[in-house]
Amino acid sequence: MSGALYQSVLRASAKTLASYAVGMVVYLWLIIGIFPTFAHSRALATLLKGLPPGMLRVLGYHVGATHLAGFLAGEFYGLIYLVIMSMYALFTASQLMAHWVDNGSMAYLLASPVSRARVAATQALVLITGVVVIGGATVAGGILGVHWLAPNVPLATGPFIAMNLVGTLMFCVVGAYAFGLSAAARDERTALGLSTMLTLVFYGLDLVGELTPSVHWLTHVSLFSVFNASQLIHGQGPIAADVVGLSAATGLLVIAGIAAFQRRQLSL
Amino acid sequence: MIALKSVTKAFLGGRGVFDLSFDVAAGEVFGCLGPNGAGKSTTIRHLMGFLRPDAGSVEINGHNCWTEAPRVQADVGYLPGEIGFPDDMTGTQFLNLVAGLRVLDPSHDRRAALSARFELDPASPLRKMSKGTKQKVGLVAAFMHTPSVLILDEPTSGLDPLMQERFLELVADEKRRGATVFMSSHVFAEVERVADRVGILKDGRLAATLDVAALRRLQKKVFRVRTGTDAEADGLASAGFPVVGRRGREVDLEVQGDYNALVRVLARCDVRALDIRPMTLEQLFMHFYGTEEATTS
């Protein structure tokens, strides 16, 4: 790890990171702000009653939309959160390694006495820092948003934080495999393409597994099955095991990425 | 010092370097010449530890450039051939990053002096800089930590003639300081000014290693002279120098070594124009090897 590189890259990418974090929080506030209207909507309640249980699980509404927790799980953590976090993790991972190699600027980092392993580890730490910052901003934004925009609506803070912790760690894993591909792929486009495809496959497997009882087992091979927002926000699920497993997976994938980068032949 | 021993790196399509061996002594300036695709950049990538040779070894100051790359880099200043900088950084931020990566001792920090030498203001964003200005930033990054070994890939690319001159003066200063310099170029005249020796690469092989002082003595130059009268042009053409071109009163003479003889002949003429053409790399090949085939044998 190089402190100079960490500070420099983080500073250079601060605007992008802030944009993602602010966008996430603003969207969350929008959802919290419209909740009171939806909570009293008979039409929505009737619509949800007519949907099959699998679809409700996918949408995050299997406990209904009359509680803020369920509403957030369905309207925000079911898709918007996943899209914003995925975009940040995938784009940033491809930027931090493959892009530096593609445009030749990696030559300057490797022309210093900092080893390849330290350069790659620092870039991985920048990526993880970004994911954690967005995750932390979402937690803080959510708690403050409920306090300001829906002060009379109860939201259990503990499970809300736990859900965000699991979500953040899951996207650390997404970032870590995208980082590994970025460190090993021949160019930025290939790295971004492969990591995006893998993420879409994971999401698709989870979606199909939830919707179709006969292939429910598909959810077990999807990373996204770990983040069952509608359960987590109610304090359900093996949160401790998820935290340990996701942290270990992130570490292993980053180490694999560093190892691949150390062996790479670079035409810089 | 720099030592390549039987280095081979083969790429698809037959490109690469093959059985490449040469040494650069401490304090020596070595120019690596060759046309595009000759293997200059591949050689430099091995020196920088970016590529691992299929066979052979590459060492700088006794350290293996692949297995001990960070140790090697501590001694080296590097200017890449293709200048690519991090996005979203100013030149100042970039130079701060390089200084931070090297944990640069302020007493060895020559950023200000080098920026003044190249008339560089690094404060603007890198993506808005011209190619020449980016090249100056790259040069400051390569020289700022007073390295004992300099590896420079096409160092004058993008620089205007004045800055090219300043760069050559800088290399001469570094040589006096005792630095070892390896610089690649496809322009012979550029390295001739500062190099002690030149290595000529062709098709990934070292075609020749030449002493520059000896080369200067042996080198043929073409003098293009325009005279005032036809008779003077005829006199020049029959003065004993090989005539390699003639257009009326304009005569191209090939001169090797003894320029006094030419000056004496010219003193008898009304010289209207005089031009000296430097020897191109291709002419250098032809001069030393006669045929292209001979250079690769």
Side-chain angles (χ1 to χ4, degrees):
Chain A
M1 153 93 191
S2 160
L5 180 60
Y6 180 76
Q7 282 178 24
S8 183
V9 176
L10 205 56
R11 193 181 297 126
S13 58
K15 279 185 189 167
T16 306
L17 176 57
S19 302
Y20 275 94
V22 168
M24 184 79 99
V25 171
V26 167
Y27 216 105
L28 181 55
W29 285 352
L30 194 68
I31 300 294
I32 294 170
I34 62 172
F35 170 71
T37 312
F38 269 72
H40 299 105
S41 167
R42 286 174 186 271
L44 180 64
T46 308
L47 175 70
L48 293 178
K49 271 184 187 171
L51 292 175
M55 179 66 83
L56 287 173
R57 263 200 307 278
V58 168
L59 296 174
Y61 282 121
H62 64 287
V63 293
T66 53
H67 298 284
L68 177 60
F71 188 69
L72 285 180
E75 287 296 325
F76 185 72
Y77 288 95
L79 187 61
I80 299 299
Y81 176 81
L82 302 180
V83 169
I84 294 175
M85 285 295 248
S86 294
M87 281 174 61
Y88 180 79
L90 297 175
F91 280 114
T92 307
S94 70
Q95 284 282 315
L96 286 171
M97 294 299 290
H99 182 72
W100 282 65
V101 173
D102 265 14
N103 80 356
S105 46
M106 183 62 79
Y108 288 102
L109 305 185
L110 301 185
S112 76
V114 180
S115 69
R116 284 192 189 199
R118 284 177 62 201
V119 166
T122 306
Q123 299 293 69
L125 194 62
V126 170
L127 172 65
I128 300 297
T129 302
V131 173
V132 170
V133 165
I134 297 174
T138 310
V139 171
I143 293 169
L144 290 173
V146 171
H147 183 70
W148 288 333
L149 302 167
N152 300 318
V153 177
L155 177 71
T157 308
F160 180 73
I161 293 172
M163 176 190 67
N164 276 282
L165 177 63
V166 172
T168 301
L169 290 174
M170 184 182 80
F171 281 102
C172 284
V173 176
V174 172
Y177 67 66
F179 168 82
L181 290 166
S182 180
R186 64 181 178 179
D187 58 43
E188 186 183 358
R189 185 183 291 186
T190 307
L192 185 59
L194 288 173
S195 56
T196 302
M197 195 165 65
L198 187 56
T199 306
L200 289 173
V201 167
F202 278 145
Y203 182 74
L205 289 173
D206 189 52
L207 189 69
V208 172
E210 287 289 357
L211 283 174
T212 317
S214 60
V215 289
H216 184 70
W217 58 270
L218 284 176
T219 59
H220 300 305
V221 291
S222 168
L223 172 66
F224 282 81
S225 66
V226 174
F227 188 66
N228 190 329
S230 56
Q231 282 188 357
L232 291 166
I233 205 166
H234 291 100
Q236 300 162 358
I239 293 169
D242 287 347
V243 167
V244 172
L246 292 169
S247 302
T250 300
L252 289 173
L253 286 165
V254 167
I255 289 169
I258 292 170
F261 187 62
Q262 280 183 293
R263 284 195 297 273
R264 261 188 85 179
Q265 308 272 310
L266 295 164
S267 292
L268 293 170
Chain B
M1 74 168 223
I2 298 169
L4 279 84
K5 291 175 188 159
S6 306
V7 173
T8 294
K9 181 76 177 179
F11 297 116
L12 292 174
R15 288 286 180 95
V17 292
F18 306 95
D19 197 26
L20 195 59
S21 296
F22 63 84
D23 292 329
V24 183
E28 184 179 24
V29 178
F30 187 88
C32 183
L33 291 169
N36 293 332
K40 303 188 297 292
S41 291
T42 301
T43 304
I44 284 179
R45 285 170 188 149
H46 280 94
L47 288 169
M48 293 305 298
F50 300 159
L51 292 176
R52 179 176 51 198
D54 297 337
S57 69
V58 186
E59 291 183 355
I60 292 178
N61 290 343
H63 300 285
N64 186 290
C65 293
W66 175 259
T67 58
E68 299 175 88
R71 175 67 193 82
V72 168
Q73 308 302 359
D75 298 334
V76 170
Y78 172 55
L79 179 76
E82 295 289 330
I83 295 284
F85 288 111
D87 302 330
D88 303 324
M89 278 192 199
T90 65
T92 305
Q93 287 170 337
F94 171 73
L95 292 174
N96 287 341
L97 168 61
V98 175
L101 288 167
R102 294 194 167 277
V103 196
L104 190 56
D105 180 348
S107 65
H108 287 85
D109 188 346
R110 298 196 297 169
R111 265 179 287 182
L114 289 164
S115 296
R117 187 166 200 156
F118 287 112
E119 297 174 15
L120 169 68
D121 174 11
S124 50
L126 287 160
R127 66 175 179 279
K128 290 185 179 174
M129 288 181 179
S130 68
K131 188 177 186 303
T133 308
K134 286 181 182 174
Q135 190 76 2
K136 292 177 186 178
V137 174
L139 284 167
V140 173
F143 286 79
M144 64 194 264
H145 54 291
T146 323
S148 63
V149 177
L150 284 151
I151 296 173
L152 312 169
D153 194 357
E154 308 278 0
T156 58
S157 172
L159 295 181
D160 61 42
L162 176 63
M163 290 303 143
Q164 287 183 18
E165 190 64 29
R166 294 210 180 150
F167 165 76
L168 293 173
E169 288 168 4
L170 176 62
V171 172
D173 288 348
E174 293 298 298
K175 184 181 170 183
R176 278 191 286 277
R177 179 173 67 79
T180 307
V181 182
F182 179 97
M183 59 184 277
S184 81
S185 178
H186 57 269
V187 182
F188 172 64
E190 181 178 285
V191 293
E192 182 195 18
R193 289 268 309 278
V194 289
D196 298 305
R197 282 189 304 146
V198 294
I200 297 175
L201 281 179
K202 184 141 194 326
D203 297 330
R205 290 180 166 82
L206 189 65
T209 308
L210 308 164
D211 181 86
V212 171
L215 197 61
R216 281 202 196 99
R217 288 193 295 274
L218 294 169
Q219 188 182 7
K220 292 176 182 172
K221 287 186 178 171
V222 174
F223 288 75
R224 176 166 293 175
V225 185
R226 188 146 51 85
T227 59
T229 64
D230 291 336
E232 287 171 340
D234 292 340
L236 266 183
S238 57
F241 300 103
V243 178
V244 293
R246 172 90 190 255
R247 291 160 300 283
R249 294 174 185 176
E250 194 171 81
V251 186
D252 292 344
L253 301 171
E254 194 176 77
V255 183
Q256 182 179 347
D258 186 8
Y259 302 115
N260 287 324
L262 176 68
V263 171
R264 282 193 290 273
V265 173
L266 292 178
R268 296 195 293 269
C269 302
D270 174 19
V271 177
R272 299 287 174 89
L274 177 65
D275 185 34
I276 305 170
R277 281 187 297 172
M279 192 176 256
T280 64
L281 192 61
E282 290 71 24
Q283 288 169 326
L284 192 69
F285 271 120
M286 295 301 285
H287 176 72
F288 278 93
Y289 302 99
T291 64
E292 190 171 294
E293 286 70 27
T295 65
T296 56
S297 62

